[in-house]
């Protein structure tokens, strides 16, 4: 666990970057520091591994004040990932990843074996090991950065806007990768971003900082979205806070209709403008309008129980019938959520 | 040309190795010693000085100012001045050339270190490099390409400048030029020019090769 105890950082020019910050980053969780530019995120992060020393207050690592630990020793036990990856241009990928094991005096062979293992872990082709960093794409470099930070298996990982320099698609896949890795590794991660969506997606806990380096709110993402502490947080969360909140509302409670899904050849129930035609395997084929039984229209699906109410709503908006198709993990239709059912779920979510 | 090839080759054959100090072979060796010693010395001096200037930026302005003044001094009067201390020896040529080399190499070392991207330096700090290890295994290797291009300039200009020492009797191949300055197209002058240029080309080639071997990560960048 990382503890900030009334930590203040005043730079020599008088700038107060962090102001009496107290927070805890629990072991095995991702704590996200989020806030506008200049609110002291990087400063806070770097005080943990003593790249910057706090002016007042203390930072504890599992109860031990970091100020008492020799910086190089401290840092070798803390993984660090930054925006530009910071890879060494003159070293091959495998040696970049093995940097900290080398520093720790591991046998060269063992360090390289470990590096190869990690490359695979972060989803990189081992054939990249012999390349130099400039021969990799930005997304690949960022993965190498993550592998390098994990090489000596540090319990703590500090990440400073690690994914903000790559395009949105790569960013999404890197985020998913991080969540997958974290499910296996259970590191104590402090993650800095200025992107609230990223914070909500990745954080077990999110600390919103305001300029001047004070803590505006510390909460899990769901609470943050449903009960922002003040106007600053509300504004920072953005206008579509309500919609985003839906991604934390489960679909398991949705009322589904099964009569609207119709086996091949059969006709739909009476009085319904649309029905869902199924394939022989029980997967959706398309929406059929009452008046034109030959037509098949677009449909949207969500995986019942796994996907959020936001996905269900999205699925509904994608089809002309206005209904969302609920499927199981294999893609087989389990029912249909009508507008009415979605409405009732939304009303419940708004209360909760 | 005034002299035909037979005369030229004859002259070379006759003078290549006479056993005297002014045989072509001995002049070539002298030239090598007097031009490459300053390259080596200036590199050895520029490394610590450049590191100090990069570390304490305030040193850089005065140091590079002083070096530029030295660089601007015409070599002949400097030789003359040094004769009173070191006499008509090779040292008299080597000392000023060493300073000229430093004038190029100190900024090269400083620029080379400045070419290390800040995020790379920060990453090294964050991973727990001690300052000395960071300098030796991260910053200096990344500075190598810039320092080597400075070294190429120094090597070539040093090889060319040695000839001036002929005016005080220590010019290596430059000695060939003083023998017949009434007629520039005599065999000694031709041989002198060709050898000096060849020497410069070889030295430059060796450094280019060293650059490729030492910094494969730079070469690979080009075709990519
Ligand atoms: N070395 C320094 N000297 C003086 N002031 C500094 C220094 N480093 C940062 N600051 C100031 O401290 C404040 C916090 O900086 P910090 O880099 O921690 O912000 P940040 O939240 O990481 O911002 P960004 O999102 O832009 O990266 C800013 O006002 C910044 O200008
Ligand atoms: Mg920052």
């Amino acid at each position: 666990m990382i503890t900030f105890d009334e930590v203040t950082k005043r730079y020599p020019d008088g700038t107060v970057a962090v102001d009496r910050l107290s927070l805890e980053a629990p072991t095995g969780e991702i704590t996200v520091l989020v806030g506008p530019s200049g609110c002291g995120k990087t400063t806070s992060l770097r005080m943990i591994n003593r790249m910057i020393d706090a002016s007042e207050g203390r930072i504890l690592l599992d109860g031990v004040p970091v100020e008492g630990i020799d910086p190089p020793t401290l840092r070798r036990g803390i993984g660090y990932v930054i925006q530009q990856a910071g890879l060494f241009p003159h070293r091959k990928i495998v040696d970049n990843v093995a940097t900290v094991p080398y520093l720790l005096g591991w046998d060269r062979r063992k360090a390289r074996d470990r590096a190869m293992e990690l490359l695979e872990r972060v989803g990189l082709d081992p054939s990249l090991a012999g390349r130099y960093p400039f021969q990799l794409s930005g997304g690949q470099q960022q993965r190498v950065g993550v592998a390098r930070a994990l090489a000596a298996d540090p319990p703590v990982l500090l990440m400073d806007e690690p994914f903000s320099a790559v395009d949105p698609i790569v960013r999404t896949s890197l985020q998913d990768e991080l969540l997958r890795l974290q499910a296996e590794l259970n590191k104590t991660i402090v993650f800095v971003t200025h992107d609230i969506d990223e914070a909500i997606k990745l954080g077990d806990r999110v600390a919103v900082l305001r300029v001047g380096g004070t803590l505006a709110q510390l909460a899990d993402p769901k609470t943050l979205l449903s009960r922002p502490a003040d106007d600053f947080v509300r504004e920072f969360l953005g206008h579509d806070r309500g919609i985003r909140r839906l991604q934390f509302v489960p679909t398991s409670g949705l009322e589904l209709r099964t009569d609207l899904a119709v086996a091949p050849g059969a006709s739909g129930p009476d009085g319904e403008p649309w029905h869902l035609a199924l394939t022989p395997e029980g997967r959706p084929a398309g929406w059929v309008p009452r008046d034109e039984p030959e037509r098949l229209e677009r449909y949207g699906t969500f995986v019942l129980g796994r996907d959020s109410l936001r996905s269900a709503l999205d699925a509904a908006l994608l089809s002309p019938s206005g209904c969302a198709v609920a499927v199981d993990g294999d893609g087989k239709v389990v029912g249909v959520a009508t507008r009415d059912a979605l409405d009732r779920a939304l009303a419940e979510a708004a209360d909760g | 040309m005034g002299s035909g090839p037979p005369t030229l080759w004859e002259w070379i054959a006759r003078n290549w190795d006479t056993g005297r100090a002014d045989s072509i072979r001995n002049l070539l060796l002298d030239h090598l010693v007097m031009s490459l010693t300053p390259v080596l010395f200036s590199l050895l001096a520029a490394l610590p000085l450049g590191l100090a200037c990069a570390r304490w930026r305030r040193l850089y302005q005065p140091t590079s100012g002083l070096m530029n003044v030295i660089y601007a001094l015409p070599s002949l009067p400097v030789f003359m001045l040094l004769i009173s201390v070191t006499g008509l020896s090779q040292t008299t040529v080597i000392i000023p050339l060493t300073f000229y080399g430093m004038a190029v190499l100190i900024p090269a070392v400083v620029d080379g270190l400045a070419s290390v991207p800040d995020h790379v330096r920060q990453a090294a700090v964050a991973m727990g490099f001690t300052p000395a290890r960071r300098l030796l295994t991260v910053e200096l290797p990344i500075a190598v390409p810039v320092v080597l291009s400075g070294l190429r300039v120094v090597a070539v200009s040093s090889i060319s400048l040695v000839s001036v020492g002929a005016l005080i009797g220590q010019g290596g191949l430059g000695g060939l030029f003083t023998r017949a300055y009434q007629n520039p197209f005599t065999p000694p002058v031709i041989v002198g020019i060709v050898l000096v240029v060849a020497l410069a080309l070889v030295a430059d080639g060796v450094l280019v090769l060293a650059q490729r071997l030492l910094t494969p990560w730079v070469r690979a960048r080009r075709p990519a």
Side-chain angles (χ1 to χ4, degrees):
Chain A
M1 182 165 70
I2 302 165
T3 314
F4 280 74
D5 180 14
E6 292 277 306
V7 174
T8 296
K9 174 63 193 180
R10 203 173 292 108
Y11 281 108
D13 67 357
T15 312
V16 176
V18 177
D19 194 6
R20 278 167 295 148
L21 181 67
S22 290
L23 64 83
E24 280 176 358
T27 305
E29 289 190 6
I30 301 181
T31 302
V32 178
L33 305 182
V34 66
S37 186
C39 69
K41 305 181 292 291
T42 298
T43 304
S44 303
L45 200 70
R46 290 185 172 183
M47 286 192 289
I48 299 173
N49 68 2
R50 292 196 59 192
M51 289 172 78
I52 296 173
D53 277 319
S55 315
E56 283 160 35
R58 291 191 313 173
I59 294 175
L60 311 169
L61 210 62
D62 289 326
V64 181
V66 292
E67 73 218 71
I69 310 173
D70 160 59
T73 313
L74 174 74
R75 292 170 192 153
R76 287 171 198 179
I78 299 179
Y80 190 78
V81 189
I82 50 177
Q83 185 178 330
Q84 305 94 328
L87 300 183
F88 297 148
H90 62 301
R91 294 221 180 135
K92 292 185 174 159
I93 297 304
V94 59
D95 294 318
N96 259 288
V97 175
T99 301
V100 180
Y102 289 158
L103 284 177
L104 291 171
W106 290 21
D107 170 65
R108 227 180 149 73
R109 174 96 184 260
K110 186 180 156 208
R112 283 177 160 237
D113 287 348
R114 171 75 179 152
M116 295 306 291
E117 179 193 325
L118 273 160
L119 284 178
E120 229 159 313
R121 248 221 152 112
V122 299
L124 282 172
D125 192 323
S127 70
L128 299 180
R131 293 204 189 170
Y132 287 100
F134 71 89
Q135 295 168 309
L136 266 55
S137 72
Q140 288 171 329
Q141 291 190 24
Q142 214 46 259
R143 283 174 200 264
V144 176
V146 173
R148 183 173 69 172
L150 291 170
D153 204 19
V156 175
L157 214 53
L158 308 180
M159 310 183 83
D160 194 347
E161 307 206 22
F163 308 146
S164 60
V166 293
D167 69 65
I169 294 172
V170 175
R171 186 179 317 144
T172 305
S173 80
L174 287 170
Q175 290 166 346
D176 293 340
E177 197 77 19
L178 179 66
L179 288 174
R180 192 185 57 73
L181 272 174
Q182 171 65 352
E184 291 171 22
L185 301 176
N186 279 307
K187 301 288 180 190
T188 305
I189 299 178
V190 182
F191 189 106
V192 162
T193 179
H194 57 254
D195 176 357
I196 186 68
D197 289 312
E198 185 169 63
I200 285 169
K201 175 171 178 181
L202 298 179
D204 294 305
R205 290 152 52 95
V206 178
V208 184
L209 302 178
R210 58 176 118 233
V211 176
T214 54
L215 183 64
Q217 186 168 9
L218 173 64
D220 62 283
K222 194 175 156 194
T223 310
L224 197 67
L225 287 167
S226 55
R227 289 199 296 278
D230 57 20
D231 286 343
F232 169 77
V233 178
R234 200 168 293 125
E235 197 168 315
F236 193 73
L237 288 169
H239 302 300
D240 48 355
R241 174 168 66 92
I243 296 273
R244 269 195 258 124
R245 238 185 85 201
L246 294 180
Q247 74 197 56
F248 297 98
V249 179
T251 43
S252 40
L254 269 178
E255 297 163 40
L256 299 180
R257 279 180 65 175
T258 47
D259 59 323
L260 291 177
V262 170
S267 57
D270 287 341
E272 294 291 344
W274 296 91
H275 71 263
L276 182 72
L278 297 181
T279 65
E281 297 81 36
R283 297 175 205 281
W287 287 100
V288 182
R290 180 168 188 74
D291 317 327
E292 294 171 77
E294 298 307 310
R295 261 180 78 179
L296 277 182
E297 289 280 356
R298 273 170 305 127
Y299 61 91
T301 64
F302 65 97
V303 178
L304 186 69
R306 193 194 71 191
D307 289 344
S308 67
L309 191 54
R310 184 175 175 171
S311 310
L313 203 60
D314 197 52
L317 294 173
L318 283 175
S319 55
S321 68
C323 303
V325 180
V327 296
D328 63 14
D330 298 327
K332 297 213 169 92
V333 175
V334 291
V336 166
T338 60
R339 273 227 175 114
D340 287 341
L342 289 167
D343 260 355
R344 278 191 294 278
L346 286 175
E348 250 170 66
D351 294 340
Chain B
M1 285 194 200
S3 49
T7 338
L8 181 65
W9 294 120
E10 270 171 37
W11 184 83
I12 293 173
R14 220 176 317 122
N15 288 278
W16 173 253
D17 192 4
T18 56
R20 291 197 345 230
D22 65 351
S23 69
I24 305 177
R25 185 171 158 276
N26 284 340
L27 290 178
L28 186 65
L29 288 176
D30 286 350
H31 201 105
L32 268 176
V33 169
M34 282 188 288
S35 56
L36 296 189
T37 311
V39 175
L40 186 70
F41 283 0
S42 59
L43 181 64
L44 290 178
L47 274 175
L49 287 173
L51 284 173
C53 287
R55 174 81 174 70
W56 298 284
R57 285 308 285 206
R58 239 173 304 165
L59 284 181
Y60 187 40
Q61 276 310 325
T63 309
S64 71
L66 183 69
M67 282 298 151
N68 282 338
V69 169
I70 292 176
Y71 198 65
L73 290 177
S75 43
L76 194 54
V78 176
F79 288 155
M80 296 307 180
L81 201 74
L82 275 171
I83 288 173
S84 60
V85 188
T86 48
L88 291 172
S89 65
Q90 296 193 340
T91 317
T92 306
V93 178
I94 289 172
I95 289 176
L97 289 188
T98 300
F99 278 103
Y100 292 167
M102 284 165 65
V104 174
L105 288 178
I106 290 175
V109 171
V110 173
D111 292 348
L113 291 172
S115 77
V116 180
D118 193 50
H119 60 96
V120 171
R121 193 176 276 120
Q122 298 283 356
V125 172
M127 280 186 293
F129 279 74
T130 56
R133 188 155 182 177
R134 192 178 81 220
L135 182 69
L136 287 176
T137 64
V138 179
E139 300 186 11
L140 281 178
I142 295 176
V144 163
V146 179
V147 176
L148 273 182
S149 21
L151 208 58
R152 285 174 63 185
V153 173
V154 171
V156 170
S157 66
S158 185
I159 286 168
S160 149
L161 278 172
V162 162
S163 313
V164 182
L167 295 170
I168 59 158
Q170 290 290 356
L173 294 165
L176 295 172
F177 305 146
T178 53
R179 287 185 193 172
Y181 48 86
Q182 290 92 345
N183 180 0
F185 296 118
T186 55
V189 177
I190 294 170
V191 168
I193 291 175
V194 168
L195 284 182
V196 167
V197 170
L199 216 51
L201 286 177
V202 168
D204 198 46
V206 167
L207 286 173
V208 169
L209 197 69
Q211 187 154 14
R212 297 204 162 180
L213 293 176
L214 286 174
T215 61
W217 51 279
V218 176
R219 180 172 49 144
R221 178 172 314 183
R222 304 269 151 71

